[in-house]
Amino acid sequence: MKPYILDVWKTFKFYGYRRIAAYSQQTDGPKVSEYMTLKLMRELGIKSRM
């Protein structure tokens, strides 16, 4: 899950946890909830660039 979140964030650095979660629901990747996305982003130390 962490590599997937990191890849999405590297592609779309302006995406926050809600948008990354929505993106994961629409693509073929793993389905990640908003809370899990937020938790993983905190563990990875990444933030939206907005």
Side-chain angles (χ1 to χ4, degrees):
M1 293 284 235
K2 286 183 183 181
Y4 176 75
I5 298 292
L6 200 55
D7 286 341
V8 173
W9 181 77
K10 284 181 180 178
T11 306
F12 307 104
K13 292 199 185 253
F14 53 90
Y15 276 15
Y17 74 94
R18 289 183 180 162
R19 237 170 158 182
I20 291 176
Y23 181 81
S24 75
Q25 298 295 324
Q26 295 173 355
T27 59
D28 293 334
K31 308 300 184 217
V32 186
S33 69
E34 287 184 5
Y35 178 73
M36 180 59 77
T37 304
L38 177 62
K39 184 178 169 185
L40 292 173
M41 285 179 74
R42 283 182 180 163
E43 286 180 14
L44 292 168
I46 57 177
K47 294 182 181 179
S48 171
R49 294 253 174 127
M50 293 299 263

